């Protein structure tokens, strides 16, 4: 089985990454870290820049676990990419980060975390960043 982390380059993404590493070490399971977004003309703040990808890959390499980083920018939403991975791989748990949002913010913008909670077929662990 594999632990899947949905990563975004924000404090909640780092919290999810740290928890995923902790679980992978404890369970001695492989870790897959995924950063995904539709791409296109608009700048997507959920996509990690090149230097951030390198930092995550270096961190994973230093952990002494089997780990890989994947970034998808192929026109599909992050939710669709993660659901596809959950359905095609043997995922034991999905780790996602949560950020504090107002009720109006959730209503207007929706929530990737909420959609993942409602759609994935594996257990989901939600973590908050320190101070959130």
């Amino acid at each position: 089985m594999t632990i899947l982390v949905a990563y975004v380059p924000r404090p909640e993404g780092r919290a999810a990454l740290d928890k995923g590493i902790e679980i992978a070490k404890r369970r001695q399971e492989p870790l897959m870290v995924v950063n995904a977004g539709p791409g296109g003309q608009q700048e997507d703040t959920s996509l990690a820049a090149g230097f951030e990808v390198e930092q995550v890959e270096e961190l994973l390499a230093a952990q002494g676990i089997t780990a890989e980083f994947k970034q998808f920018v192929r026109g599909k939403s992050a939710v669709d990419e993660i659901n596809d991975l959950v359905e095609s791989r043997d995922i034991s748990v999905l780790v996602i980060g949560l950020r504090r949002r107002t009720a109006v913010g959730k209503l207007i913008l929706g929530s990737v975390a909420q959609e993942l909670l409602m759609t994935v077929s594996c257990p989901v662990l939600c973590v908050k960043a320190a101070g959130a």
Side-chain angles (χ1 to χ4, degrees):
M1 297 194 87
T2 300
I3 295 160
L4 180 61
V5 172
Y7 178 78
V8 291
R10 296 188 292 262
E12 62 271 17
R14 183 55 192 251
L17 177 60
D18 291 343
K19 183 56 77 173
I21 290 169
E22 176 190 321
I23 295 168
K25 285 180 175 180
R26 188 179 37 198
R27 292 185 180 183
Q28 297 181 353
E29 288 184 31
L31 176 68
M32 179 184 295
V33 180
V34 174
N35 178 241
Q41 299 291 343
Q42 298 176 350
E43 184 177 320
D44 188 346
T45 60
S46 65
L47 289 174
F51 73 93
E52 293 164 316
V53 171
E54 289 177 13
Q55 288 175 340
V56 172
E57 288 175 334
E58 288 172 5
L59 175 67
L60 294 174
Q63 298 305 311
I65 58 174
T66 302
E68 63 181 316
F69 181 91
K70 293 187 176 284
Q71 187 173 57
F72 297 114
V73 187
R74 8 183 225 205
K76 295 168 75 175
S77 73
V79 172
D80 289 340
E81 293 287 6
I82 291 167
N83 268 306
D84 288 351
L85 285 169
V86 168
E87 294 304 317
S88 66
R89 309 254 179 144
D90 193 13
I91 303 297
S92 60
V93 64
L94 169 63
V95 183
I96 62 175
L98 297 178
R99 64 182 165 145
R100 186 176 190 94
R101 294 178 57 185
T102 66
V104 173
K106 290 177 198 171
L107 179 66
I108 293 172
L109 300 175
S111 170
V112 171
Q114 181 178 356
E115 194 170 344
L116 285 170
L117 283 168
M118 301 301 284
T119 61
V120 296
S121 60
C122 68
V124 180
L125 174 63
C126 301
V127 297
K128 293 193 284 185

